[in-house]
Amino acid sequence: MSLTNNKIKEKLVEKFGESVFGFEENYELLTFEAPKEINLKVLQFLYDDEELNFQFMTDLCAAHYPDNIGKELAVVYHLHNLKDNIRLRFKVYTSIQKPDVYTATQLFSAANWMERETYDFYGVNFVGHPNLKRILNVDEMDYFPLRKEYPLEDQTRLDKDDEMFGRGGTIV
Amino acid sequence: MYRTTDILTNTPNASLSEAGYMVINVGPQHPATHGVLHLVITLSGETIINVEPHLGYIHRSIEKMCESLTYRQFIYTTSRMDYLSSHINNHCCALSVEKGLQIEIPDRAKYIRIILDELTRLASHQLWWGAMAMDIGAITPFFYAFREREMINDIMEETCGARLTMNYMVPGGVMFDLHPNFQKKVKEFIAFFKSKINEYDEILTGNIIFQNRMKGVGIISKEDAISYGCTGPTARGSGVSCDVRKLYPYEIYNRIEFDEIINNGCDSFARYEVRMQEMKQSLKIIEQLIDNIPEGDFQAKTKTVLKLPKGEFYTRVETARGEFGVYIVSEGGTTPYRIKFRSPGFSNLSALNHMAKGNKIGDLVAIMGSIDLVIPDIDR
């Protein structure tokens, strides 16, 4: 375990200066942010550097913060270094009006489907993705369901006539 | 509502026909896809040019549902994801809540959890073994596998009242104490399964027809397995060391002796071998623990209403299919602000096209069997 969170932080700051910020350690997991314009550069550096070697993408997802004006959508990467067995979390924020983020498919094949899923639920437009279409929802859907403006259906509503699901309708 | 894009536009179109390719649809209702998975396969003669999986036929938006459920309630939805590893999924959620609330759980609960996790892994691998053999045309192994799996299901039923969707592991420990028969029954099962596991090898592993179907097909190199984010036996069959139980030991895995099974074969047979060996390791783990379950509480005292502190939590465990992760973003309330489940099957399935390209159509089902797909886990 030669690689530590501090070492990663030092290397990142050395390379990108003040462009990478917001370093914190959440339960031993190093977390940091960068502007969305350089997300690929940061990922490429993490991937290529001989010591860092973050070549395994564990997860990619998004989160929606409606109150965070101008930075409503967060794209979260969870990366893993299999050699030194260390992980980190990397975030970029984007506005909801222009949710363009560069795709990571050239670095990680896993990003292909994960980015499609993120697009499906949050509408993040991954620029350069080879096949950016919905993956879990129907293709005809015209909204992004995991955004916060879409609340879940009220479980107690009575006006809906779907007897097959045991709600509403006339039960004889 | 059917998906017009799936069904209408993917029928053989002019350009593909001109090139001599044929496009066929497998599923979504097909016994070999183990659920509602839809594959659009482009063929040149019998050779696979491209496989495009279409997912989402049983997407239930569990992540959105979880945003309105409390930290005690959301655990139960994960039993409905990977229904063959429901104990392990519940375990992961319980761990993430415990991590956030800094709850130290009693030793007894830890032992119970690990034993049940490993029993679940055994049951899952048994079902995979039987179902995969059936996929490639052997019926008998299915009955062999279910004979032993039934014993595990009986143990589960006695312990937590359910056979599939367990909901037994809760934040702070387990829901209730073990049944008095538990140790006796588990020991009976171990003795019985040990006498039968060689039958598994005799009937299937050594079979030359089976080996011909499995060896040298569905190849994925170590680099590609890493790139596609494969985990679990799928990645370990390609020589990637990725067992979360070894990399990030949770509960008491660091005190237990067991081996991480790695096979460098990179083909379907390597993945098969990994799972077969893993079953033996699971037996070894249970044997070490079953006589030493400490006395004491089975649940730590927790508040009635759980509130996770503001922050982000990521917990991972090793399910029968690979790394299952729970990513919780908490704003300090009683419900998660955002929850993301990293399901192992999703990444493993994304490598299917890579594995199947260039193989014959007849091998596709064998390759899918070797990935061990559970569709509710992929669709969430």
Side-chain angles (χ1 to χ4, degrees):
Chain A
M1 294 289 280
S2 52
L3 199 61
T4 57
N5 285 346
N6 276 333
K7 187 93 182 278
I8 300 168
K9 188 178 164 183
E10 274 171 29
K11 291 203 73 138
L12 280 165
V13 172
E14 189 190 324
K15 172 85 179 171
F16 294 101
E18 287 177 4
S19 300
V20 287
F21 53 95
F23 284 96
E24 50 182 306
E25 279 186 38
N26 267 332
Y27 301 89
E28 294 168 17
L29 195 66
L30 183 75
T31 307
F32 68 96
E33 290 172 32
K36 67 171 182 175
E37 287 78 19
I38 63 160
N39 76 327
L40 262 194
K41 284 183 181 154
V42 174
L43 288 172
Q44 182 90 50
F45 177 69
L46 290 167
Y47 188 97
D48 284 339
D49 192 86
E50 278 176 13
E51 279 180 84
L52 296 176
N53 268 315
F54 282 92
Q55 295 178 351
F56 189 89
M57 179 176 269
T58 306
D59 202 3
L60 190 163
C61 64
H64 185 203
Y65 302 94
D67 301 333
N68 207 353
I69 304 297
K71 292 167 118 195
E72 286 97 343
L73 291 172
V75 178
V76 187
Y77 302 86
H78 283 96
L79 302 177
H80 189 177
N81 172 339
L82 288 165
K83 282 189 186 131
D84 289 301
N85 190 23
I86 194 161
R87 309 206 184 204
L88 63 78
R89 181 187 295 137
F90 166 49
K91 289 191 201 173
V92 295
Y93 285 90
T94 174
S95 76
I96 206 159
Q97 276 79 35
K98 200 169 177 295
D100 297 344
V101 176
Y102 292 115
T103 173
T105 38
Q106 296 300 321
L107 283 172
F108 308 96
S109 306
N112 190 326
W113 279 26
M114 290 177 185
E115 284 177 357
R116 278 176 69 184
E117 192 195 332
T118 309
Y119 163 74
D120 194 351
F121 288 134
Y122 285 94
V124 179
N125 179 29
F126 288 97
V127 179
H129 192 285
N131 185 23
L132 194 65
K133 58 179 190 183
R134 289 184 184 272
I135 189 164
L136 291 177
N137 289 309
V138 284
D139 296 4
E140 292 79 10
M141 210 173 196
D142 53 1
Y143 56 95
F144 301 109
L146 252 71
R147 288 187 180 173
K148 289 287 176 190
E149 64 254 38
Y150 301 108
L152 268 186
E153 188 183 83
D154 180 8
Q155 297 286 311
T156 55
R157 64 183 278 194
L158 293 169
D159 58 314
K160 199 174 169 186
D161 185 23
D162 53 358
E163 287 173 73
M164 299 299 280
F165 295 96
R167 285 179 303 208
T170 45
I171 300 157
V172 185
Chain B
M1 183 173 156
Y2 71 92
R3 307 192 335 179
T4 47
T5 35
D6 278 2
I7 293 155
L8 300 180
T9 59
N10 282 313
T11 46
N13 60 38
S15 64
L16 287 171
S17 304
E18 272 166 32
Y21 293 155
M22 186 164 67
V23 181
I24 57 167
N25 287 287
V26 174
Q29 301 295 341
H30 190 279
T33 56
H34 298 285
V36 275
L37 175 67
H38 177 192
L39 300 173
V40 180
I41 308 168
T42 310
L43 293 170
S44 165
E46 277 196 34
T47 311
I48 298 167
I49 304 295
N50 190 38
V51 184
E52 200 194 340
H54 286 234
L55 324 172
Y57 285 92
I58 44 165
H59 173 58
R60 295 146 291 173
S61 201
I62 282 180
E63 285 163 16
K64 184 83 178 176
M65 267 156 49
C66 287
E67 285 174 13
S68 62
L69 297 174
T70 68
Y71 290 113
R72 282 196 193 281
Q73 291 169 333
F74 88 95
I75 293 176
Y76 305 133
T77 61
T78 57
S79 301
R80 275 85 183 159
M81 288 168 44
D82 185 350
Y83 51 81
L84 294 178
S85 305
S86 53
H87 266 315
I88 311 181
N89 291 357
N90 295 162
H91 191 172
C92 187
C93 298
L95 274 178
S96 65
V97 176
E98 281 153 16
K99 195 162 146 189
L101 292 170
Q102 314 263 333
I103 302 171
E104 182 61 35
I105 70 161
D107 264 2
R108 184 175 173 83
K110 289 182 184 171
Y111 275 69
I112 296 173
R113 281 179 173 188
I114 301 290
I115 293 171
L116 288 173
D117 276 5
E118 294 306 323
L119 281 175
T120 310
R121 197 183 314 279
L122 275 172
S124 169
H125 282 353
Q126 281 163 353
L127 188 131
W128 154 82
W129 182 77
M132 197 201 65
M134 205 163 68
D135 283 347
I136 59 175
I139 299 293
T140 317
F142 193 72
F143 299 110
Y144 277 44
F146 268 67
R147 179 185 58 197
E148 277 89 55
R149 189 166 178 273
E150 188 61 25
M151 293 181 80
I152 297 185
N153 273 348
D154 281 345
I155 294 171
M156 298 296 184
E157 194 177 359
E158 212 171 60
T159 311
C160 46
R163 292 163 69 88
L164 213 59
T165 50
M166 313 298 187
N167 309 335
Y168 182 60
M169 302 195 187
V170 294
V174 293
M175 204 179 257
F176 7 78
D177 208 353
L178 289 175
H179 192 274
N181 283 343
F182 182 77
Q183 273 159 305
K184 189 175 126 252
K185 280 216 165 179
V186 171
K187 278 184 206 161
E188 269 172 23
F189 163 75
I190 291 174
F192 182 74
F193 188 46
K194 273 197 159 174
S195 70
K196 297 292 180 192
I197 194 162
N198 291 331
E199 277 186 8
Y200 283 33
D201 288 337
E202 279 166 27
I203 194 171
L204 200 62
T205 316
N207 187 313
I208 192 75
I209 302 168
F210 174 74
Q211 291 199 1
N212 282 339
R213 293 291 306 274
M214 300 298 276
K215 279 188 177 166
V217 300
I219 289 171
I220 183 163
S221 69
K222 184 177 178 181
E223 288 72 27
D224 288 328
I226 291 173
S227 179
Y228 275 101
C230 296
T231 46
T234 310
R236 290 198 284 281
S238 297
V240 185
S241 162
C242 61
D243 196 328
V244 184
R245 292 174 295 172
K246 283 282 184 198
L247 295 181
Y248 288 88
Y250 48 97
E251 307 288 20
I252 48 166
Y253 273 119
N254 51 359
R255 283 190 256 153
I256 304 170
E257 255 182 61
F258 69 101
D259 299 325
E260 179 182 4
I261 309 294
I262 295 175
N263 193 317
N264 290 314
C266 300
D267 56 1
S268 294
F269 195 69
R271 297 190 279 277
Y272 172 87
E273 286 275 87
V274 168
R275 291 200 183 84
M276 294 305 279
Q277 296 300 322
E278 265 189 12
M279 284 202 241
K280 289 173 186 159
Q281 294 300 323
S282 291
L283 279 178
K284 197 172 155 188
I285 295 173
I286 300 170
E287 274 183 330
Q288 286 174 48
L289 300 181
I290 190 69
D291 281 324
N292 306 319
I293 304 176
E295 293 296 322
D297 290 339
F298 55 90
Q299 208 183 86
K301 286 207 166 50
T302 48
K303 285 180 191 155
T304 321
V305 179
L306 301 179
K307 276 188 184 174
L308 247 63
K310 195 172 174 356
E312 298 178 8
F313 311 90
Y314 192 85
T315 327
R316 46 180 71 80
V317 297
E318 182 77 17
T319 73
R321 263 147 288 279
E323 179 183 322
F324 177 78
V326 180
Y327 173 52
I328 299 179
V329 180
S330 169
E331 296 278 276
T334 53
T335 58
Y337 184 76
R338 161 80 168 122
I339 202 157
K340 168 77 167 65
F341 297 111
R342 189 244 189 239
S343 65
F346 190 77
S347 302
N348 290 351
L349 179 63
S350 74
L352 177 68
N353 186 20
H354 183 87
M355 289 181 198
K357 254 185 210 169
N359 286 298
K360 298 278 185 271
I361 175 88
D363 290 329
L364 179 67
V365 170
I367 296 168
M368 275 168 57
S370 75
I371 312 178
D372 193 9
L373 299 171
V374 170
I375 308 301
D377 175 43
I378 295 162
D379 283 357
R380 278 162 290 153

